[in-house]
Amino acid sequence: MSDPVREAREKLLRVGLTGSYQADDAVPDIIVRSWRRSIGSAVEASAPAQRYRDVDTDTLLGRAAVPVLDRWQHQLADTGTTLFLSDRGGSIVDRRASDSSERRRLDNMHAAEGFDYSEDSIGTNALGTSMVEKRPVFVKGSQHYSDVLAANACAAAPIYTPAGLVVGSIALGGPIQAASPIMLSLAREISQQIEERLRTSSRPQDLALAMSFMRFTSSQRPTVVLDHESVLANTPGLPYVNVASHVMLWEVLNSHNWSAAPTLRRELEGTRIEITARRVSEGPRVHFVVHFSELEPTWQPERGEEGEPKRGGEPHPRKSSSAALGQSVAFIEGPPGSGRSTAALDLLASWGKRGALESFTISAESPAPWGKIEDLLQRGENVIIRRLEKMSADEFADFSKAMVATQKKWATGNHVGNLLGTVYREEASSELQAVVDRVGVAVRMAPLAQTPERIPGLVTRILNEVDASSRHTMSPAALQSLVQWNWPGNVAELADTLSSLVRTVNASVIERRHLPKHLQQAPPRRPLSLIKSAERDAIIRALDAAGGNKSEAADLLGMGRTTLYRRLRQLGLESGEATI
């Protein structure tokens, strides 16, 4: 038996987005619009949902929706329908199936927690399409863009915050044989009940944040609005938003001296992204509006009043177009462990230099092979000499000889390698200091204690190196604890800590409770009063004793669960992702 809906979809696929197409009455206009968007997103129509990520239910939406879902799950127990809750990105964050056989059926089509059901991921479906259309949607059978979903019927409605932002969607679904128009009415009712709970639980600061954000929802400029707990992004701003970027942005913005200028403009560490930010003092809590722009692949070192690069500047430098191919000799200055070698690699990459970087370290135990170093440079190989401040007087003479030979060959236009050196000027000899001053500092690094905004990016980079299988991610609360620690051992200490966590933590998400005690109890960078410090320590001990269970921790502390949530936020111990 022919299926006119499927035939209509196949016809649209044949003619494409630019071809002439007229749908018949068998297909509603809202479905055709969604099909067109699905084709434009190059959605795979024959495969189940592929995008997956770990989801967090302890969010503003999750806390509002769970009691409503509990109640409706009981009322719909014998109907054969399943409840789905998605976040604003389209990922399923909660699923309430009626029985085990239905759960297995849904698992086979990846209709489960963690899978992405946004329209640009899986095509036309009620969860994703309702958020794009910003209205309730009923999708059944072959109206779904994916053939995998053709045996289902699903009705969904978007969920709005009090400020009018779509924060997710709620759906009722089941086999197509169970399809009923009443499913759409029930989806509307459930979404309204969740919205009512969002209204009653909304804090003044959430509303203030949302009101600021409303001005940018239709803007084509990538924009986010954020405070310590939450971040809202318009559609162009979504690629710039994740847990690490939220923590990094908050550190950058909160540590800036806003009395000097109402607007901050700077490049983010380790990226080609520039932000323009302003501070908003309206409402009960300060928040920030941030715009993003992509920089051209050229750079100019940030310099202070005397012409020297500023301390704590770019660890991933930018150079002017005239220096795009690099220079014969470059120094990366900063204390040991501050990431100087990594900055050297990024400096070479910014010059367009590829291939191996031969590395040598100055030490009293084994003198550097200066003849080999000079030979490598003359053959066009790039060389980095680490810890130049440890050189003896004899080695300084050898270093000077190699440097002069390299500069001479460079000046004549002959092919020669780049000589990079890491140096801590405060411990260098006066002769080496003079050389550094004459050549200039290409990159100046500061200790992590002075540049905490670098930590989220470093965590991502180090995890990519020590966790090759990408088994682990870092929770927002754990990342915030890493940012709060002063890291006396600098990048080396951070790398050792992350390597140990990857080896010892079996869970996929590294949470605050997995961190060493000194990191769990790292105080906020703004000092607390003695009373607040004691309260913070007591809450940490209670959460540890309760294995992270907040209800049990509240009982141990003799306070209500709501009070504990409020104190967790106030003391910087909130473990959720808020509205990320």
Side-chain angles (χ1 to χ4, degrees):
M1 183 176 179
S2 65
D3 181 346
V5 176
R6 182 182 295 274
E7 291 171 359
R9 192 198 67 178
E10 293 300 324
K11 179 182 176 182
L12 179 59
L13 284 168
R14 285 195 303 272
V15 302
L17 294 178
T18 58
S20 176
Y21 177 80
Q22 180 66 44
D24 56 32
D25 294 337
V27 187
D29 290 342
I30 192 172
I31 299 298
V32 175
R33 288 199 300 271
S34 179
W35 284 351
R36 289 183 178 276
R37 290 191 296 266
S38 303
I39 294 172
S41 298
V43 173
E44 172 56 59
S46 60
Q50 299 298 312
R51 298 182 194 169
Y52 175 87
R53 66 176 177 83
D54 291 328
V55 294
D56 181 12
T57 58
D58 191 18
T59 61
L60 210 62
L61 174 63
R63 292 194 289 270
V66 164
V68 178
L69 295 179
D70 289 342
R71 184 167 61 251
W72 279 98
Q73 181 182 14
H74 176 72
Q75 295 181 21
L76 298 170
D78 299 323
T79 64
T81 57
T82 298
L83 286 165
F84 298 92
L85 176 71
S86 85
D87 61 19
R88 67 191 301 262
S91 293
I92 297 174
V93 295
D94 203 341
R95 183 190 74 181
R96 307 295 181 90
S98 54
D99 56 54
S100 58
S101 62
E102 181 66 5
R103 283 191 290 273
R104 286 193 297 272
R105 189 182 76 87
L106 294 170
D107 288 344
N108 289 335
M109 63 183 69
H110 294 180
E113 287 94 339
F115 284 100
D116 185 349
Y117 266 68
S118 60
E119 197 179 68
D120 65 354
S121 172
I122 193 66
T124 306
N125 74 96
L127 277 172
T129 302
S130 66
M131 288 192 288
V132 176
E133 292 283 342
K134 293 183 170 58
R135 56 182 281 192
V137 173
F138 193 18
V139 182
K140 58 184 178 179
S142 49
Q143 290 178 349
H144 290 92
Y145 188 78
S146 172
D147 294 330
V148 177
L149 304 177
N152 297 279
C154 194
I159 300 169
Y160 286 88
T161 67
L165 304 173
V166 174
V167 74
S169 60
I170 185 72
L172 283 85
I176 193 169
Q177 297 88 345
S180 168
I182 198 172
M183 294 167 68
L184 194 60
S185 298
L186 290 176
R188 286 196 190 97
E189 175 65 23
I190 297 171
S191 71
Q192 290 170 4
Q193 291 180 12
I194 296 172
E195 289 169 358
E196 179 59 31
R197 284 186 55 82
L198 284 171
R199 274 191 293 273
T200 58
S201 63
S202 291
R203 301 165 297 163
Q205 57 264 34
D206 294 327
L207 293 175
L209 200 71
M211 293 306 294
S212 289
F213 176 68
M214 286 296 289
R215 306 170 194 170
F216 306 102
T217 53
S218 59
S219 172
Q220 294 305 304
R221 188 180 186 186
T223 303
V224 303
V225 181
L226 76 153
D227 63 10
H228 177 60
E229 299 172 5
S230 305
V231 55
L232 301 173
N234 64 2
T235 301
L238 285 174
Y240 300 91
V241 177
N242 56 38
V243 173
S245 65
H246 183 201
V247 174
M248 177 185 66
L249 282 172
W250 177 254
E251 287 298 323
V252 169
L253 300 173
N254 201 45
S255 61
H256 179 66
N257 179 14
W258 291 96
S259 62
T263 302
L264 168 65
R265 186 173 182 176
R266 64 168 288 176
E267 183 179 344
L268 293 180
E269 308 288 355
T271 71
R272 298 295 184 194
I273 299 168
E274 184 178 71
I275 62 167
T276 304
R278 63 182 178 85
R279 186 173 183 263
V280 181
S281 301
E282 303 165 4
R285 182 185 294 176
V286 168
H287 58 274
F288 302 95
V289 176
V290 184
H291 305 290
F292 298 86
S293 58
E294 300 285 343
L295 288 168
E296 295 296 325
T298 58
W299 68 270
Q300 183 67 40
E302 186 182 9
R303 297 189 175 271
E305 296 179 354
E306 302 300 323
E308 281 295 308
K310 291 183 179 179
R311 175 169 287 277
E314 274 299 320
H316 306 270
R318 294 178 290 129
K319 262 199 173 297
S320 63
S321 56
S322 62
L325 296 179
Q327 58 194 64
S328 59
V329 179
F331 291 108
I332 296 87
E333 197 279 331
S338 58
R340 298 178 299 180
S341 296
T342 300
L345 289 170
D346 292 330
L347 178 61
L348 276 180
S350 74
W351 291 342
K353 302 291 184 179
R354 295 292 183 265
L357 177 63
E358 295 288 339
S359 178
F360 302 91
T361 302
I362 301 296
S363 71
E365 292 75 21
S366 56
W370 293 103
K372 179 180 179 181
I373 290 172
E374 190 168 345
D375 183 56
L376 286 168
L377 290 167
Q378 294 300 311
R379 295 204 321 255
E381 303 291 333
N382 298 314
V383 173
I384 180 172
I385 306 175
R386 303 173 60 213
R387 301 183 181 177
L388 289 173
E389 65 273 7
K390 302 295 184 183
M391 284 192 303
S392 65
D394 290 341
E395 286 190 301
F396 176 74
D398 291 326
F399 168 73
S400 298
K401 180 173 176 289
M403 182 180 69
V404 169
T406 301
Q407 289 176 320
K408 282 183 177 179
K409 190 168 183 180
W410 179 278
T412 60
N414 292 313
H415 181 62
V416 67
N418 296 89
L419 174 59
L420 282 71
T422 69
V423 59
Y424 187 30
R425 195 180 186 282
E426 294 181 15
E427 296 181 359
S429 65
S430 58
E431 293 84 2
L432 180 56
Q433 288 183 9
V435 170
V436 172
D437 292 342
R438 176 167 54 83
V439 174
V441 174
V443 187
R444 196 180 298 275
M445 305 299 293
L448 284 185
Q450 296 178 21
T451 54
E453 69 275 7
R454 294 171 52 203
I455 292 174
L458 284 169
V459 168
T460 300
R461 188 167 191 157
I462 294 169
L463 282 178
N464 286 339
E465 294 175 359
V466 302
D467 185 19
S469 59
S470 301
R471 292 190 307 113
H472 296 85
T473 56
M474 189 75 60
S475 78
L479 186 58
Q480 190 64 54
S481 289
L482 298 183
V483 170
Q484 289 171 351
W485 183 241
N486 60 8
W487 299 104
N490 278 308
V491 178
E493 181 187 355
L494 177 61
D496 289 344
T497 299
L498 292 173
S499 297
S500 176
L501 289 169
V502 167
R503 289 194 306 270
T504 58
V505 175
N506 294 323
S508 60
V509 179
I510 298 173
E511 299 178 357
R512 191 198 299 270
R513 61 188 175 88
H514 296 131
L515 302 180
K517 290 296 182 185
H518 68 279
L519 293 177
Q520 290 185 35
Q521 300 173 10
R525 291 187 176 269
R526 292 177 299 282
L528 298 173
S529 67
L530 290 176
I531 292 177
K532 287 187 176 180
S533 293
E535 182 180 10
R536 189 177 187 276
D537 291 343
I539 290 175
I540 289 172
R541 288 195 299 272
L543 285 169
D544 189 48
N549 187 298
K550 292 173 184 174
S551 295
E552 293 182 17
D555 290 340
L556 291 172
L557 293 163
M559 64 174 64
R561 192 167 185 263
T562 303
T563 302
L564 176 59
Y565 272 118
R566 184 173 66 253
R567 301 305 293 148
L568 287 171
R569 289 193 295 269
Q570 293 170 347
L571 295 169
L573 295 171
E574 176 63 65
S575 61
E577 284 191 38
T579 58
I580 289 179

